[in-house]
Amino acid sequence: MKNILVPTDFSACATYAVEAAFLLAEQFDAKLHFFSCIHIPENWSDYSVEKQNTYPEAQQLVENATQLMQKFKFKAEWNGIGVETIIRGGELIKSLEEAVISTKADFVVMGSHGSSGKQEFFMGSNTQKAVRKLHVPILIIKNPIEKLNFKEVIYASSFNTEDKPSFQQFLNFIKYFQPETIHLLSINTIGWFSQPTHLMKAAMEGFKALAPDFNCESHFHRAFSVDAGVRDFAEDIAADLIVVSNQHRHPIK
């Protein structure tokens, strides 16, 4: 992990992600790239000064975002962390995709609304779009994190062969945090399309064999829906982290 992209709209949940990104940057000696997409013309940087002066509201938005970004930049530099700030206009997901490429980001940290349910900018829909569109690992933060302490970790999957590369990538990440238990979780939904139990258990054993240095436990959990099953299981074990593999047309959405 060398370049961490941190999208922010400066809301509370986005700030939680910023703080988590600082912790990750210190852990991995990575560079932080703070990114904000604001309501200005997409090609704003190509405008002449004279043309920009005809958009006073956009100028004010840029100024506000620049000042807030400076706080992040100052903190990063004070702690010896490499930092870049990016302010763009246009459509959020498209701008994010471009930022991933331009910064060579290999990890993204972003916020999503927590239990308060407030309608903040990075709520469920935008976060889900980012997860589906960006082809890099994404850590979603919903609440403040004082330290990166991932002890009880869930890897929820259908445990297909195409998930093995992402599982290995997950192992390469989580080893730095020395988890106590990795819970391999399969949700058996009530319906016609569930895998037979014996086949799923065999598939999970194959994944467990890829992680000989970790304490892995297999769980075959029944629920009416995948998301409800993952959520219920996470609450039961007080999980610190939930990991899913987002393959094309993956059952876990």
Side-chain angles (χ1 to χ4, degrees):
M1 187 186 302
K2 297 299 181 183
N3 293 285
I4 301 175
L5 181 64
V6 191
T8 179
D9 64 345
F10 312 106
S11 63
C13 62
T15 302
Y16 301 155
V18 168
E19 296 300 325
F22 276 116
L23 295 175
L24 283 168
E26 292 176 346
Q27 175 84 29
F28 292 95
D29 191 25
K31 182 177 181 179
L32 291 175
H33 303 266
F34 294 106
F35 168 89
S36 187
C37 185
I38 60 178
H39 296 293
I40 59 176
E42 184 174 0
N43 55 341
W44 176 259
S45 60
D46 297 330
Y47 285 10
S48 65
V49 174
E50 292 77 13
K51 187 172 183 180
Q52 288 182 357
N53 288 336
T54 63
Y55 295 87
E57 292 183 358
Q59 283 185 316
Q60 187 61 56
L61 289 173
V62 172
E63 178 63 24
N64 293 345
T66 300
Q67 291 182 9
L68 292 168
M69 286 286 199
Q70 281 299 115
K71 296 180 180 180
F72 300 152
K73 188 173 183 180
F74 177 79
K75 180 176 180 179
E77 292 176 343
W78 179 262
N79 289 281
I81 299 172
V83 62
E84 177 189 16
T85 60
I86 306 166
I87 300 172
R88 291 186 180 174
E91 195 270 327
L92 172 63
I93 302 302
K94 178 183 177 183
S95 296
L96 267 176
E97 289 179 300
E98 293 171 350
V100 166
I101 295 172
S102 65
T103 63
K104 298 181 180 179
D106 46 19
F107 204 84
V108 174
V109 183
M110 63 188 299
S112 183
H113 69 87
S115 57
S116 67
K118 293 180 179 178
Q119 299 298 305
E120 293 167 319
F121 188 69
F122 281 118
M123 58 179 301
S125 59
N126 279 322
T127 302
Q128 288 185 30
K129 288 177 183 177
V131 168
R132 292 171 182 169
K133 288 287 186 178
L134 304 183
H135 300 290
V136 292
I138 301 177
L139 178 63
I140 306 300
I141 303 295
K142 304 181 78 173
N143 298 291
I145 294 180
E146 294 183 1
K147 61 180 180 178
L148 299 174
N149 187 30
F150 303 136
K151 296 302 181 184
E152 299 297 326
V153 180
I154 295 173
Y155 184 83
S157 174
S158 296
F159 298 97
N160 296 317
T161 300
E162 58 265 29
D163 287 328
K164 289 185 176 179
S166 70
F167 182 66
Q168 188 61 63
Q169 191 172 22
F170 153 67
L171 294 177
N172 291 337
F173 168 78
I174 204 63
K175 67 183 180 182
Y176 293 98
F177 304 99
Q178 299 180 330
E180 293 179 0
T181 310
I182 295 176
H183 300 270
L184 305 180
L185 176 63
S186 174
I187 304 299
N188 184 19
T189 55
I190 299 173
W192 292 101
F193 301 105
S194 298
Q195 286 279 8
T197 302
H198 68 282
L199 292 180
M200 184 57 67
K201 287 183 176 179
M204 295 170 79
E205 286 300 312
F207 276 72
K208 187 182 292 187
L210 297 175
D213 299 327
F214 298 90
N215 176 34
C216 293
E217 296 181 2
S218 300
H219 306 272
F220 199 63
H221 192 71
R222 290 182 64 84
F224 284 99
S225 66
V226 172
D227 59 331
V230 173
R231 186 166 54 248
D232 291 344
F233 183 82
E235 292 174 355
D236 288 343
I237 69 166
D240 301 301
L241 181 69
I242 300 172
V243 182
V244 297
S245 173
N246 186 43
Q247 299 291 344
H248 182 57
R249 287 196 296 270
H250 199 285
I252 299 177
K253 298 181 180 179

